[in-house]
Amino acid sequence: MTREQFRPPHHDHEQFLLTTVVGSYPQPDWLDYVREGVAAGDLEQADRTEAENDATRAAVLDQQRAGLDVVTDGEMRREGMVDYFTNVVTGYDAPGGDDDGSNWNASMPRVTEEVSTAEPWLVSDFEFVDTVATRPVKVTITGPFTLATFASTEAYDSIEKLALDFADLIAEEVPKLVEAGAEWIQLDEPGLGMSPHGELAHECLSRVAEAVPEDVRFGTHVCSGNYADLADDMVEFPVDELDLEFASPDADDPAAVFAGREFEMDIGFGVVDTQSRDAESVETIESRIREGLKHIPPEQLTISPDCGLKPLEREPAIEKLTNMVDAAGNVESALDSGSIGDVAKDGSENG
């Protein structure tokens, strides 16, 4: 899957560093008020739908004004990245216990029977955002390993079997999204970053990849920023893009991930810390992009935040994205002019 189809028609530079977000975007406070009103019976479901539509419009417009090449719907309809899918997966039920914060299982979805689905998961969400966006849209799906590990697996003997069943369900969803016009599908795997299971992740990704046409971009995002126990497996992931975190203070040195390994897929390189509300300067982000170029050729480098932007408030999120796009443009200009030369094998720049 080439990157060129995501290049804006009036892009200023010969070099092209693709810019996007991982997935989520800050949700406005008023969206919670509407949801609470619906739950209390004071508002209608149609009010919630209208509010989520409006929040999606705002998220897309923010991303486009910041200058991103590819946007998402901001996951505005999702209160949580896991429990959202209890609405569409049979046997994957909303948490049933009282959660006082001391019992992890109480806040997890419950797997009460073999998981299955009879309806599309995200097609209507995509169809709406596609009418709003004037840039290409990336569809983000919580990955099978995370859906399995962030659940109470009452009806399964193993996480592995449940994860593979979820992979099969996502593979069923892919053709529906493609038929609706989706050009980029990404699986998000925070669970994999917390509990590295590279062989299982590879098998899950392979099952989904078989359903993705060649002209549709397929990627995965792995959270945590710590990849020592996963890097050798990630090299073999059957994806067009592997999106990783490198901006947070606890993230790995990129050299530890890339040195001595040949990543043939594109790399989404996190250059904005999504856990800090302080917006990085353009210069700071430029330096992070240049660090990425020591390990990844520009034709394989995608610039993105570390993770979803949902933990932030809207204003710092906008500032971070705007600075990120400006920084990418500055680095592109430097590449065009030759002021950033070839990269030596020791990771230092020539030129």
PDB file of all heavy atoms in Angstrom, residues 26-58:
ATOM      1  N   PRO A  26      -9.539  14.633  22.113  1.00  0.00           N
ATOM      2  CA  PRO A  26     -10.241  15.059  23.327  1.00  0.00           C
ATOM      3  C   PRO A  26     -11.757  15.166  23.117  1.00  0.00           C
ATOM      4  O   PRO A  26     -12.221  15.744  22.132  1.00  0.00           O
ATOM      5  CB  PRO A  26      -9.633  16.438  23.611  1.00  0.00           C
ATOM      6  CG  PRO A  26      -8.289  16.398  22.982  1.00  0.00           C
ATOM      7  CD  PRO A  26      -8.441  15.555  21.749  1.00  0.00           C
ATOM      8  N   GLN A  27     -12.501  14.611  24.073  1.00  0.00           N
ATOM      9  CA  GLN A  27     -13.959  14.683  23.999  1.00  0.00           C
ATOM     10  C   GLN A  27     -14.460  15.871  24.818  1.00  0.00           C
ATOM     11  O   GLN A  27     -14.029  16.066  25.960  1.00  0.00           O
ATOM     12  CB  GLN A  27     -14.574  13.381  24.507  1.00  0.00           C
ATOM     13  CG  GLN A  27     -14.205  12.183  23.651  1.00  0.00           C
ATOM     14  CD  GLN A  27     -15.064  10.958  23.947  1.00  0.00           C
ATOM     15  OE1 GLN A  27     -15.956  10.982  24.782  1.00  0.00           O
ATOM     16  NE2 GLN A  27     -14.790   9.878  23.229  1.00  0.00           N
ATOM     17  N   PRO A  28     -15.363  16.668  24.275  1.00  0.00           N
ATOM     18  CA  PRO A  28     -15.862  17.841  25.007  1.00  0.00           C
ATOM     19  C   PRO A  28     -16.671  17.435  26.232  1.00  0.00           C
ATOM     20  O   PRO A  28     -17.345  16.399  26.243  1.00  0.00           O
ATOM     21  CB  PRO A  28     -16.738  18.549  23.974  1.00  0.00           C
ATOM     22  CG  PRO A  28     -17.109  17.505  22.981  1.00  0.00           C
ATOM     23  CD  PRO A  28     -15.966  16.540  22.930  1.00  0.00           C
ATOM     24  N   ASP A  29     -16.630  18.277  27.261  1.00  0.00           N
ATOM     25  CA  ASP A  29     -17.365  17.988  28.490  1.00  0.00           C
ATOM     26  C   ASP A  29     -18.852  17.843  28.236  1.00  0.00           C
ATOM     27  O   ASP A  29     -19.524  17.005  28.866  1.00  0.00           O
ATOM     28  CB  ASP A  29     -17.121  19.102  29.527  1.00  0.00           C
ATOM     29  CG  ASP A  29     -15.697  19.095  30.057  1.00  0.00           C
ATOM     30  OD1 ASP A  29     -15.024  18.052  29.939  1.00  0.00           O
ATOM     31  OD2 ASP A  29     -15.258  20.142  30.578  1.00  0.00           O
ATOM     32  N   TRP A  30     -19.378  18.656  27.313  1.00  0.00           N
ATOM     33  CA  TRP A  30     -20.820  18.609  27.090  1.00  0.00           C
ATOM     34  C   TRP A  30     -21.287  17.276  26.516  1.00  0.00           C
ATOM     35  O   TRP A  30     -22.452  16.909  26.652  1.00  0.00           O
ATOM     36  CB  TRP A  30     -21.296  19.760  26.199  1.00  0.00           C
ATOM     37  CG  TRP A  30     -20.527  19.973  24.918  1.00  0.00           C
ATOM     38  CD1 TRP A  30     -19.571  20.900  24.687  1.00  0.00           C
ATOM     39  CD2 TRP A  30     -20.693  19.249  23.679  1.00  0.00           C
ATOM     40  NE1 TRP A  30     -19.106  20.803  23.389  1.00  0.00           N
ATOM     41  CE2 TRP A  30     -19.780  19.806  22.753  1.00  0.00           C
ATOM     42  CE3 TRP A  30     -21.519  18.208  23.277  1.00  0.00           C
ATOM     43  CZ2 TRP A  30     -19.665  19.345  21.449  1.00  0.00           C
ATOM     44  CZ3 TRP A  30     -21.402  17.730  21.967  1.00  0.00           C
ATOM     45  CH2 TRP A  30     -20.487  18.307  21.072  1.00  0.00           C
ATOM     46  N   LEU A  31     -20.373  16.521  25.924  1.00  0.00           N
ATOM     47  CA  LEU A  31     -20.752  15.213  25.409  1.00  0.00           C
ATOM     48  C   LEU A  31     -21.091  14.270  26.563  1.00  0.00           C
ATOM     49  O   LEU A  31     -22.052  13.498  26.493  1.00  0.00           O
ATOM     50  CB  LEU A  31     -19.617  14.647  24.556  1.00  0.00           C
ATOM     51  CG  LEU A  31     -19.900  13.374  23.763  1.00  0.00           C
ATOM     52  CD1 LEU A  31     -21.159  13.499  22.929  1.00  0.00           C
ATOM     53  CD2 LEU A  31     -18.697  13.025  22.893  1.00  0.00           C
ATOM     54  N   ASP A  32     -20.348  14.368  27.653  1.00  0.00           N
ATOM     55  CA  ASP A  32     -20.658  13.566  28.835  1.00  0.00           C
ATOM     56  C   ASP A  32     -22.009  13.952  29.430  1.00  0.00           C
ATOM     57  O   ASP A  32     -22.773  13.091  29.879  1.00  0.00           O
ATOM     58  CB  ASP A  32     -19.569  13.725  29.896  1.00  0.00           C
ATOM     59  CG  ASP A  32     -18.297  12.977  29.553  1.00  0.00           C
ATOM     60  OD1 ASP A  32     -18.382  11.988  28.802  1.00  0.00           O
ATOM     61  OD2 ASP A  32     -17.225  13.389  30.031  1.00  0.00           O
ATOM     62  N   TYR A  33     -22.316  15.258  29.437  1.00  0.00           N
ATOM     63  CA  TYR A  33     -23.594  15.705  29.982  1.00  0.00           C
ATOM     64  C   TYR A  33     -24.757  15.130  29.180  1.00  0.00           C
ATOM     65  O   TYR A  33     -25.782  14.712  29.749  1.00  0.00           O
ATOM     66  CB  TYR A  33     -23.670  17.228  29.974  1.00  0.00           C
ATOM     67  CG  TYR A  33     -22.606  17.913  30.804  1.00  0.00           C
ATOM     68  CD1 TYR A  33     -22.098  19.165  30.442  1.00  0.00           C
ATOM     69  CD2 TYR A  33     -22.107  17.327  31.960  1.00  0.00           C
ATOM     70  CE1 TYR A  33     -21.114  19.793  31.191  1.00  0.00           C
ATOM     71  CE2 TYR A  33     -21.124  17.949  32.715  1.00  0.00           C
ATOM     72  CZ  TYR A  33     -20.632  19.174  32.335  1.00  0.00           C
ATOM     73  OH  TYR A  33     -19.664  19.798  33.075  1.00  0.00           O
ATOM     74  N   VAL A  34     -24.597  15.101  27.856  1.00  0.00           N
ATOM     75  CA  VAL A  34     -25.663  14.550  27.018  1.00  0.00           C
ATOM     76  C   VAL A  34     -25.807  13.050  27.278  1.00  0.00           C
ATOM     77  O   VAL A  34     -26.937  12.539  27.426  1.00  0.00           O
ATOM     78  CB  VAL A  34     -25.376  14.819  25.529  1.00  0.00           C
ATOM     79  CG1 VAL A  34     -26.403  14.108  24.647  1.00  0.00           C
ATOM     80  CG2 VAL A  34     -25.393  16.317  25.247  1.00  0.00           C
ATOM     81  N   ARG A  35     -24.705  12.334  27.360  1.00  0.00           N
ATOM     82  CA  ARG A  35     -24.779  10.894  27.630  1.00  0.00           C
ATOM     83  C   ARG A  35     -25.443  10.618  28.971  1.00  0.00           C
ATOM     84  O   ARG A  35     -26.260   9.698  29.097  1.00  0.00           O
ATOM     85  CB  ARG A  35     -23.372  10.293  27.596  1.00  0.00           C
ATOM     86  CG  ARG A  35     -22.771  10.191  26.200  1.00  0.00           C
ATOM     87  CD  ARG A  35     -21.305   9.868  26.256  1.00  0.00           C
ATOM     88  NE  ARG A  35     -20.743   9.624  24.923  1.00  0.00           N
ATOM     89  CZ  ARG A  35     -19.457   9.732  24.627  1.00  0.00           C
ATOM     90  NH1 ARG A  35     -18.584  10.073  25.573  1.00  0.00           N
ATOM     91  NH2 ARG A  35     -19.030   9.497  23.398  1.00  0.00           N
ATOM     92  N   GLU A  36     -25.090  11.405  29.970  1.00  0.00           N
ATOM     93  CA  GLU A  36     -25.707  11.232  31.287  1.00  0.00           C
ATOM     94  C   GLU A  36     -27.201  11.529  31.232  1.00  0.00           C
ATOM     95  O   GLU A  36     -28.000  10.850  31.883  1.00  0.00           O
ATOM     96  CB  GLU A  36     -25.011  12.146  32.294  1.00  0.00           C
ATOM     97  CG  GLU A  36     -23.577  11.730  32.612  1.00  0.00           C
ATOM     98  CD  GLU A  36     -22.806  12.793  33.362  1.00  0.00           C
ATOM     99  OE1 GLU A  36     -23.415  13.838  33.697  1.00  0.00           O
ATOM    100  OE2 GLU A  36     -21.597  12.606  33.616  1.00  0.00           O
ATOM    101  N   GLY A  37     -27.564  12.526  30.446  1.00  0.00           N
ATOM    102  CA  GLY A  37     -28.980  12.856  30.308  1.00  0.00           C
ATOM    103  C   GLY A  37     -29.767  11.749  29.643  1.00  0.00           C
ATOM    104  O   GLY A  37     -30.913  11.453  30.037  1.00  0.00           O
ATOM    105  N   VAL A  38     -29.168  11.113  28.647  1.00  0.00           N
ATOM    106  CA  VAL A  38     -29.829   9.985  27.986  1.00  0.00           C
ATOM    107  C   VAL A  38     -29.963   8.816  28.955  1.00  0.00           C
ATOM    108  O   VAL A  38     -31.019   8.183  29.061  1.00  0.00           O
ATOM    109  CB  VAL A  38     -29.050   9.568  26.718  1.00  0.00           C
ATOM    110  CG1 VAL A  38     -29.641   8.296  26.123  1.00  0.00           C
ATOM    111  CG2 VAL A  38     -29.061  10.689  25.690  1.00  0.00           C
ATOM    112  N   ALA A  39     -28.891   8.533  29.696  1.00  0.00           N
ATOM    113  CA  ALA A  39     -28.925   7.420  30.652  1.00  0.00           C
ATOM    114  C   ALA A  39     -29.974   7.640  31.735  1.00  0.00           C
ATOM    115  O   ALA A  39     -30.607   6.685  32.208  1.00  0.00           O
ATOM    116  CB  ALA A  39     -27.549   7.240  31.288  1.00  0.00           C
ATOM    117  N   ALA A  40     -30.180   8.921  32.107  1.00  0.00           N
ATOM    118  CA  ALA A  40     -31.157   9.242  33.151  1.00  0.00           C
ATOM    119  C   ALA A  40     -32.582   9.329  32.619  1.00  0.00           C
ATOM    120  O   ALA A  40     -33.535   9.460  33.403  1.00  0.00           O
ATOM    121  CB  ALA A  40     -30.775  10.562  33.815  1.00  0.00           C
ATOM    122  N   GLY A  41     -32.737   9.267  31.304  1.00  0.00           N
ATOM    123  CA  GLY A  41     -34.055   9.374  30.700  1.00  0.00           C
ATOM    124  C   GLY A  41     -34.519  10.789  30.467  1.00  0.00           C
ATOM    125  O   GLY A  41     -35.678  11.009  30.074  1.00  0.00           O
ATOM    126  N   ASP A  42     -33.652  11.766  30.688  1.00  0.00           N
ATOM    127  CA  ASP A  42     -34.019  13.167  30.483  1.00  0.00           C
ATOM    128  C   ASP A  42     -33.857  13.600  29.030  1.00  0.00           C
ATOM    129  O   ASP A  42     -34.411  14.625  28.622  1.00  0.00           O
ATOM    130  CB  ASP A  42     -33.155  14.077  31.372  1.00  0.00           C
ATOM    131  CG  ASP A  42     -33.352  13.780  32.851  1.00  0.00           C
ATOM    132  OD1 ASP A  42     -34.491  13.429  33.236  1.00  0.00           O
ATOM    133  OD2 ASP A  42     -32.375  13.877  33.611  1.00  0.00           O
ATOM    134  N   LEU A  43     -33.070  12.852  28.260  1.00  0.00           N
ATOM    135  CA  LEU A  43     -32.851  13.148  26.851  1.00  0.00           C
ATOM    136  C   LEU A  43     -33.100  11.887  26.032  1.00  0.00           C
ATOM    137  O   LEU A  43     -33.095  10.765  26.563  1.00  0.00           O
ATOM    138  CB  LEU A  43     -31.415  13.653  26.619  1.00  0.00           C
ATOM    139  CG  LEU A  43     -31.029  14.978  27.273  1.00  0.00           C
ATOM    140  CD1 LEU A  43     -29.535  15.233  27.105  1.00  0.00           C
ATOM    141  CD2 LEU A  43     -31.831  16.139  26.663  1.00  0.00           C
ATOM    142  N   GLU A  44     -33.281  12.075  24.737  1.00  0.00           N
ATOM    143  CA  GLU A  44     -33.525  10.953  23.836  1.00  0.00           C
ATOM    144  C   GLU A  44     -32.211  10.461  23.223  1.00  0.00           C
ATOM    145  O   GLU A  44     -31.213  11.191  23.174  1.00  0.00           O
ATOM    146  CB  GLU A  44     -34.482  11.380  22.713  1.00  0.00           C
ATOM    147  CG  GLU A  44     -35.812  11.905  23.191  1.00  0.00           C
ATOM    148  CD  GLU A  44     -36.642  10.833  23.880  1.00  0.00           C
ATOM    149  OE1 GLU A  44     -36.490   9.651  23.514  1.00  0.00           O
ATOM    150  OE2 GLU A  44     -37.438  11.185  24.778  1.00  0.00           O
ATOM    151  N   GLN A  45     -32.232   9.230  22.718  1.00  0.00           N
ATOM    152  CA  GLN A  45     -31.056   8.688  22.045  1.00  0.00           C
ATOM    153  C   GLN A  45     -30.667   9.567  20.859  1.00  0.00           C
ATOM    154  O   GLN A  45     -29.476   9.720  20.551  1.00  0.00           O
ATOM    155  CB  GLN A  45     -31.325   7.256  21.574  1.00  0.00           C
ATOM    156  CG  GLN A  45     -30.153   6.612  20.839  1.00  0.00           C
ATOM    157  CD  GLN A  45     -28.902   6.508  21.691  1.00  0.00           C
ATOM    158  OE1 GLN A  45     -28.994   6.204  22.872  1.00  0.00           O
ATOM    159  NE2 GLN A  45     -27.741   6.748  21.085  1.00  0.00           N
ATOM    160  N   ALA A  46     -31.671  10.157  20.207  1.00  0.00           N
ATOM    161  CA  ALA A  46     -31.375  11.036  19.075  1.00  0.00           C
ATOM    162  C   ALA A  46     -30.538  12.236  19.500  1.00  0.00           C
ATOM    163  O   ALA A  46     -29.724  12.750  18.721  1.00  0.00           O
ATOM    164  CB  ALA A  46     -32.676  11.514  18.433  1.00  0.00           C
ATOM    165  N   ASP A  47     -30.713  12.691  20.752  1.00  0.00           N
ATOM    166  CA  ASP A  47     -29.896  13.799  21.257  1.00  0.00           C
ATOM    167  C   ASP A  47     -28.438  13.369  21.389  1.00  0.00           C
ATOM    168  O   ASP A  47     -27.524  14.145  21.082  1.00  0.00           O
ATOM    169  CB  ASP A  47     -30.425  14.265  22.614  1.00  0.00           C
ATOM    170  CG  ASP A  47     -31.832  14.825  22.523  1.00  0.00           C
ATOM    171  OD1 ASP A  47     -32.097  15.624  21.605  1.00  0.00           O
ATOM    172  OD2 ASP A  47     -32.667  14.460  23.370  1.00  0.00           O
ATOM    173  N   ARG A  48     -28.223  12.147  21.841  1.00  0.00           N
ATOM    174  CA  ARG A  48     -26.845  11.645  21.946  1.00  0.00           C
ATOM    175  C   ARG A  48     -26.210  11.520  20.561  1.00  0.00           C
ATOM    176  O   ARG A  48     -25.051  11.915  20.363  1.00  0.00           O
ATOM    177  CB  ARG A  48     -26.827  10.295  22.662  1.00  0.00           C
ATOM    178  CG  ARG A  48     -25.443   9.655  22.663  1.00  0.00           C
ATOM    179  CD  ARG A  48     -25.355   8.444  23.565  1.00  0.00           C
ATOM    180  NE  ARG A  48     -24.040   7.814  23.463  1.00  0.00           N
ATOM    181  CZ  ARG A  48     -23.528   7.011  24.381  1.00  0.00           C
ATOM    182  NH1 ARG A  48     -24.228   6.718  25.472  1.00  0.00           N
ATOM    183  NH2 ARG A  48     -22.340   6.477  24.212  1.00  0.00           N
ATOM    184  N   THR A  49     -26.963  10.989  19.611  1.00  0.00           N
ATOM    185  CA  THR A  49     -26.432  10.859  18.252  1.00  0.00           C
ATOM    186  C   THR A  49     -26.050  12.213  17.678  1.00  0.00           C
ATOM    187  O   THR A  49     -24.976  12.380  17.089  1.00  0.00           O
ATOM    188  CB  THR A  49     -27.464  10.175  17.341  1.00  0.00           C
ATOM    189  OG1 THR A  49     -27.750   8.867  17.854  1.00  0.00           O
ATOM    190  CG2 THR A  49     -26.947  10.064  15.919  1.00  0.00           C
ATOM    191  N   GLU A  50     -26.908  13.199  17.869  1.00  0.00           N
ATOM    192  CA  GLU A  50     -26.607  14.541  17.361  1.00  0.00           C
ATOM    193  C   GLU A  50     -25.364  15.119  18.039  1.00  0.00           C
ATOM    194  O   GLU A  50     -24.511  15.730  17.382  1.00  0.00           O
ATOM    195  CB  GLU A  50     -27.795  15.466  17.596  1.00  0.00           C
ATOM    196  CG  GLU A  50     -27.579  16.881  17.063  1.00  0.00           C
ATOM    197  CD  GLU A  50     -28.782  17.777  17.287  1.00  0.00           C
ATOM    198  OE1 GLU A  50     -29.751  17.325  17.947  1.00  0.00           O
ATOM    199  OE2 GLU A  50     -28.761  18.924  16.813  1.00  0.00           O
ATOM    200  N   ALA A  51     -25.240  14.906  19.348  1.00  0.00           N
ATOM    201  CA  ALA A  51     -24.085  15.421  20.079  1.00  0.00           C
ATOM    202  C   ALA A  51     -22.800  14.747  19.606  1.00  0.00           C
ATOM    203  O   ALA A  51     -21.766  15.406  19.423  1.00  0.00           O
ATOM    204  CB  ALA A  51     -24.276  15.208  21.578  1.00  0.00           C
ATOM    205  N   GLU A  52     -22.845  13.443  19.401  1.00  0.00           N
ATOM    206  CA  GLU A  52     -21.648  12.738  18.929  1.00  0.00           C
ATOM    207  C   GLU A  52     -21.303  13.128  17.505  1.00  0.00           C
ATOM    208  O   GLU A  52     -20.114  13.212  17.140  1.00  0.00           O
ATOM    209  CB  GLU A  52     -21.855  11.229  19.069  1.00  0.00           C
ATOM    210  CG  GLU A  52     -21.876  10.793  20.534  1.00  0.00           C
ATOM    211  CD  GLU A  52     -22.228   9.334  20.731  1.00  0.00           C
ATOM    212  OE1 GLU A  52     -22.838   8.721  19.828  1.00  0.00           O
ATOM    213  OE2 GLU A  52     -21.917   8.793  21.816  1.00  0.00           O
ATOM    214  N   ASN A  53     -22.312  13.389  16.687  1.00  0.00           N
ATOM    215  CA  ASN A  53     -22.049  13.902  15.338  1.00  0.00           C
ATOM    216  C   ASN A  53     -21.333  15.252  15.402  1.00  0.00           C
ATOM    217  O   ASN A  53     -20.355  15.494  14.682  1.00  0.00           O
ATOM    218  CB  ASN A  53     -23.351  14.046  14.558  1.00  0.00           C
ATOM    219  CG  ASN A  53     -23.942  12.722  14.120  1.00  0.00           C
ATOM    220  OD1 ASN A  53     -23.298  11.676  14.223  1.00  0.00           O
ATOM    221  ND2 ASN A  53     -25.170  12.756  13.632  1.00  0.00           N
ATOM    222  N   ASP A  54     -21.834  16.135  16.258  1.00  0.00           N
ATOM    223  CA  ASP A  54     -21.222  17.464  16.379  1.00  0.00           C
ATOM    224  C   ASP A  54     -19.788  17.365  16.907  1.00  0.00           C
ATOM    225  O   ASP A  54     -18.890  18.085  16.436  1.00  0.00           O
ATOM    226  CB  ASP A  54     -22.058  18.347  17.306  1.00  0.00           C
ATOM    227  CG  ASP A  54     -23.372  18.775  16.682  1.00  0.00           C
ATOM    228  OD1 ASP A  54     -23.515  18.651  15.449  1.00  0.00           O
ATOM    229  OD2 ASP A  54     -24.267  19.233  17.427  1.00  0.00           O
ATOM    230  N   ALA A  55     -19.567  16.485  17.885  1.00  0.00           N
ATOM    231  CA  ALA A  55     -18.220  16.317  18.424  1.00  0.00           C
ATOM    232  C   ALA A  55     -17.274  15.767  17.360  1.00  0.00           C
ATOM    233  O   ALA A  55     -16.097  16.157  17.293  1.00  0.00           O
ATOM    234  CB  ALA A  55     -18.261  15.385  19.631  1.00  0.00           C
ATOM    235  N   THR A  56     -17.779  14.860  16.524  1.00  0.00           N
ATOM    236  CA  THR A  56     -16.960  14.315  15.443  1.00  0.00           C
ATOM    237  C   THR A  56     -16.595  15.405  14.445  1.00  0.00           C
ATOM    238  O   THR A  56     -15.440  15.502  14.001  1.00  0.00           O
ATOM    239  CB  THR A  56     -17.708  13.177  14.724  1.00  0.00           C
ATOM    240  OG1 THR A  56     -17.995  12.135  15.675  1.00  0.00           O
ATOM    241  CG2 THR A  56     -16.885  12.613  13.581  1.00  0.00           C
ATOM    242  N   ARG A  57     -17.571  16.245  14.099  1.00  0.00           N
ATOM    243  CA  ARG A  57     -17.281  17.357  13.176  1.00  0.00           C
ATOM    244  C   ARG A  57     -16.177  18.250  13.735  1.00  0.00           C
ATOM    245  O   ARG A  57     -15.248  18.641  13.019  1.00  0.00           O
ATOM    246  CB  ARG A  57     -18.547  18.187  12.937  1.00  0.00           C
ATOM    247  CG  ARG A  57     -19.633  17.509  12.127  1.00  0.00           C
ATOM    248  CD  ARG A  57     -20.754  18.485  11.804  1.00  0.00           C
ATOM    249  NE  ARG A  57     -21.831  17.840  11.070  1.00  0.00           N
ATOM    250  CZ  ARG A  57     -22.932  17.369  11.622  1.00  0.00           C
ATOM    251  NH1 ARG A  57     -23.112  17.473  12.951  1.00  0.00           N
ATOM    252  NH2 ARG A  57     -23.856  16.792  10.887  1.00  0.00           N
ATOM    253  N   ALA A  58     -16.276  18.577  15.011  1.00  0.00           N
ATOM    254  CA  ALA A  58     -15.283  19.456  15.633  1.00  0.00           C
ATOM    255  C   ALA A  58     -13.900  18.804  15.625  1.00  0.00           C
ATOM    256  O   ALA A  58     -12.892  19.466  15.340  1.00  0.00           O
ATOM    257  CB  ALA A  58     -15.703  19.793  17.062  1.00  0.00           C
TER     258      ALA A  58
END
